[in-house]
Amino acid sequence: MARAATLSRTIEAITGHTTGSRRWHGPLSFTAGPRLSTPGEVNHETVTPRAPLHRFTVPLSATRRGARLARLPAAEQLDAWGLPLDPARLIVAELATNAVVHGRVPGRGFRFGLTVTAPATLRVEVTDPRGDQLPAQARASAGAGPPESGYGLLLVEELADRWGVRTGPVPCKSVWAELDLGR
């Protein structure tokens, strides 16, 4: 319990938001952006959301420190729910890093969440203020050398059972990945 209290104080110090209820209530502070078109490269959620059994969200600063910090509350919450840490912790790390590197808007943060729904599905979701920059699936280039970056979503694709992107509310986007826990 002391570890959770220390983590809560650390999150409050970095984000300025209280996490005493283990859930942040309030809108993210994003500015308006352009309307988006739907790319064909990624999966889009078309199913009706299921009622969550457990839900946890926390806002973080869009800095490298914020991306690293995302793993800590994820691990604490997964442990509290009695769920395995990996591969969810790796997915949180990759999606949080992408939010900082590709979804950063100066002065704006990102939010990550964990949701457990029936039948035994863990959803990791990271929301950032750059809805105009959607992730694309990696494409193999014939004859081209390996890229310097871009392996994060390949890792997410390998680890997760499903992943995709959801746009909105404008100007935001949410990149999500789901793990079936019943395997």
Side-chain angles (χ1 to χ4, degrees):
M1 189 62 162
R3 193 170 159 194
T6 302
L7 178 62
S8 181
R9 284 192 302 275
T10 303
I11 292 170
E12 289 172 16
I14 291 172
T15 65
H17 297 287
T18 185
T19 59
S21 67
R22 289 255 178 202
R23 184 173 174 183
W24 179 65
H25 299 279
L28 288 174
S29 175
F30 296 137
T31 58
R35 186 75 177 133
L36 305 173
S37 59
T38 305
E41 286 91 31
V42 292
N43 301 323
H44 292 274
E45 186 173 22
T46 57
V47 296
T48 305
R50 296 162 287 219
L53 300 173
H54 301 288
R55 179 173 285 165
F56 173 80
T57 63
V58 64
L60 295 167
S61 63
T63 62
R64 291 184 189 273
R65 183 176 184 199
R68 283 192 311 269
L69 182 62
R71 290 181 297 224
L72 296 173
E76 287 288 328
Q77 198 59 51
L78 291 168
D79 187 49
W81 291 339
L83 298 176
L85 298 180
D86 292 321
R89 186 171 43 178
L90 296 170
I91 292 172
V92 168
E94 290 301 329
L95 295 183
T97 300
N98 281 352
V100 169
V101 172
H102 303 293
R104 185 174 184 277
V105 170
R108 306 292 185 230
F110 71 97
R111 181 181 59 210
F112 96 89
L114 300 172
T115 306
V116 178
T117 58
T121 300
L122 173 67
R123 182 183 183 104
V124 176
E125 189 167 305
V126 175
T127 302
D128 68 57
R130 291 294 304 265
D132 59 330
Q133 292 203 2
L134 300 177
Q137 288 179 335
R139 297 179 194 144
S141 301
E148 290 183 25
S149 65
Y151 293 107
L153 287 177
L154 287 174
L155 182 61
V156 169
E157 189 170 344
E158 280 299 313
L159 295 172
D161 293 301
R162 293 165 297 286
W163 77 276
V165 65
R166 179 175 46 96
T167 57
V170 172
C172 303
K173 73 171 175 299
S174 296
V175 181
W176 56 270
E178 290 184 341
L179 296 166
D180 294 331
L181 300 172
R183 298 197 268 174

